[in-house]
Amino acid sequence: MLRRTARLLAAFVMIMSGAVVGTVATAGTAHADGCYTWTRTLSQGASGADVTQLQIRLGGYAGYGTVLAVDGSFGPATSAALKRFQSAYGLSADGVAGTNTYNKLYALQDDDCTPIHFTYAELNRCNSDWSGGAVSAATAKANALRTMWKLEALRHALGDQPITVTSGFRSYSCNSAVGGSSSSRHLYGDAADLGAGPHSLCTLAKQARNHGFNGILGPGYPDHNDHTHLDHRSSRYWSAPTCGI
């Protein structure tokens, strides 16, 4: 909390300083962020690492049954996802990423680039160095970050009430210990199991269809009556028969 308060205070001082000297803050300069700072306005046709960073954070706004590509190319799908994000947070939904969009993103992330309501520790209770899975440690950790941003969008859509993550990345040894499938997406770091809390498992499964998850397994699917499973598999597979999915 102290870290976030200090960051918000720094942002306020920077904006007021610009006002005093009669300048207008441009995209990326209204707030220097501890994780990532955008330095230009982005819209359709743009490409580069800054677009990739934007796409990671917009992954949960891809739309019903859609997954947003993280490819560094700002096309119509990225524009549509950005408009959904802007609308969700009361911004002008113009599909252009500028100062207001960036400042909202800065407010939503911590200095390690995770969204403010989720942590790497929540997505990895198995092996803290992210090794031992089906992909490199770096890839597993990057996949977990994408998952967290999708979960942040899911959380916001459900009224900003807490979501409980019960399982994330697993090494092969951890996966075997809990009886996981040999092809489990948990081995890739791109899966999360959610427990019931303020929302039922069915509510979580149904809402997740709008937030970039190709894999959704929930009540009624074998061994999934006590959690809802979400992942990034390459093609869509949704099954939660008890929930009508």
Side-chain angles (χ1 to χ4, degrees):
M1 180 63 70
L2 291 175
R3 179 177 64 182
R4 286 184 45 70
T5 300
R7 290 172 59 204
L8 292 174
L9 179 60
F12 176 78
V13 171
M14 292 176 70
I15 293 171
M16 292 305 296
S17 296
V20 169
V21 299
T23 61
V24 177
T26 58
T29 61
H31 185 331
D33 189 70
C35 162
Y36 184 85
T37 300
W38 283 271
T39 59
R40 59 171 178 158
T41 297
L42 296 174
S43 59
Q44 280 200 59
S47 62
D50 50 0
V51 176
T52 298
Q53 291 295 324
L54 179 64
Q55 290 170 329
I56 290 170
R57 290 153 181 78
L58 296 179
Y61 292 91
Y64 183 89
T66 304
V67 175
L68 181 64
V70 180
D71 58 6
S73 180
F74 196 130
T78 300
S79 178
L82 177 54
K83 289 177 182 178
R84 294 186 189 97
F85 171 84
Q86 291 169 326
S87 179
Y89 284 99
L91 305 177
S92 177
D94 57 6
V96 176
T99 300
N100 291 336
T101 294
Y102 296 143
N103 282 343
K104 174 51 66 175
L105 289 172
Y106 297 148
L108 285 173
Q109 67 184 15
D110 280 323
D111 286 349
D112 64 355
C113 297
T114 59
I116 55 177
H117 296 109
F118 298 92
T119 66
Y120 281 118
E122 286 181 275
L123 271 290
N124 183 0
R125 295 183 174 92
C126 167
N127 186 343
S128 60
D129 67 3
W130 299 87
S131 65
V135 293
S136 70
T139 297
K141 190 173 183 179
N143 286 342
L145 181 64
R146 292 177 59 189
T147 299
M148 283 187 274
W149 279 103
K150 294 183 181 185
L151 292 176
E152 184 71 25
L154 173 62
R155 187 185 191 279
H156 185 61
L158 291 173
D160 282 316
Q161 293 181 304
I163 289 176
T164 301
V165 179
T166 60
S167 184
F169 168 73
R170 300 174 191 159
S171 65
Y172 278 106
S173 60
C174 287
N175 190 60
S176 177
V178 299
S181 165
S182 61
S183 60
S184 172
R185 294 307 306 181
H186 289 282
L187 296 165
Y188 296 81
D190 67 6
D193 291 345
L194 309 181
H199 311 291
S200 70
L201 297 178
C202 283
T203 295
L204 294 167
K206 289 179 177 179
Q207 186 63 41
R209 295 175 296 181
N210 300 298
H211 299 291
F213 293 102
N214 261 341
I216 302 175
L217 305 174
Y221 187 82
D223 300 320
H224 284 71
N225 287 325
D226 62 350
H227 68 279
T228 291
H229 168 97
L230 307 175
D231 66 52
H232 303 318
R233 66 189 65 196
S234 59
S235 60
R236 188 193 304 177
Y237 187 84
W238 294 349
S239 182
T242 302
C243 309
I245 299 176

